Amino acid sequence: MSLLALATESFPMNERDLDAVAALEASLQAFPWSRGNFADSLAGGHSVWVLRRGGELLGFSVVMQVIDEAHLLNIGVAARHQGCGHGARLLSQAMERAKLVGATKLFLEVRPSNERAVELYRHFGFRQIGRRKAYYPATDGREDALVFDKELA
């Protein structure tokens, strides 16, 4: 079967995914979430999903919901699969899932240096509502976070 014939599908993340998701995160970030962070998200009942084609992990998303608000905690796509619409698919599905369980707004933070992500969020109608000073660790100290939100209703 050719790679093109394989369907790309989303699945709820489970314990068996933790090592692969943590490895993917480590390949994407200078200061990645640990395996334990992902395990805690699973144990905490967050909406955690993986995107796969065949057995290959393409990406993941983690959303925490509190009453009628949701917070995109983490999202990532394997470097060699970026620019193919997988991030947009993960984000769109995260918004739909949050809406289905009663969220009316989705929040997120993003590094200003992550221009590709900022562009994706703006494309989806997110608006910048704030800035958190020195929020993220960085190789030269700390980096601010841009805070975005989007109405889901």
Side-chain angles (χ1 to χ4, degrees), residues 127-140:
R127 64 188 177 102
Q128 185 179 340
I129 59 168
R131 183 179 205 100
R132 299 188 199 281
K133 292 288 188 192
Y135 185 78
Y136 291 110
T139 54
D140 58 350

Side-chain angles (χ1 to χ4, degrees), residues 80-94:
R80 71 188 198 105
H81 294 289
Q82 291 178 5
C84 300
H86 300 306
R89 180 176 179 174
L90 282 164
L91 181 58
S92 179
Q93 290 174 342

Side-chain angles (χ1 to χ4, degrees), residues 26-142:
S27 76
L28 297 171
Q29 304 294 336
F31 300 92
W33 273 27
S34 69
R35 183 187 191 281
N37 293 129
F38 289 104
D40 289 347
S41 291
L42 270 177
H46 298 341
S47 179
V48 288
W49 289 76
V50 293
L51 183 65
R52 292 188 174 278
R53 182 181 299 134
E56 181 182 10
L57 177 65
L58 304 181
F60 62 85
S61 67
V62 181
V63 176
M64 174 181 70
Q65 186 144 347
V66 179
I67 307 173
D68 64 345
E69 294 180 349
H71 193 126
L72 180 66
L73 298 178
N74 202 339
I75 188 168
V77 174
R80 71 188 198 105
H81 294 289
Q82 291 178 5
C84 300
H86 300 306
R89 180 176 179 174
L90 282 164
L91 181 58
S92 179
Q93 290 174 342
M95 290 187 303
E96 283 302 311
R97 288 184 196 105
K99 203 164 37 169
L100 283 173
V101 292
T104 59
K105 190 177 274 195
L106 180 65
F107 294 90
L108 61 88
E109 290 91 14
V110 61
R111 293 175 184 267
S113 63
N114 191 347
E115 294 172 3
R116 195 176 219 170
V118 170
E119 183 180 319
L120 174 68
Y121 300 138
R122 287 196 170 127
H123 173 77
F124 271 84
F126 282 82
R127 64 188 177 102
Q128 185 179 340
I129 59 168
R131 183 179 205 100
R132 299 188 199 281
K133 292 288 188 192
Y135 185 78
Y136 291 110
T139 54
D140 58 350
R142 306 287 298 178

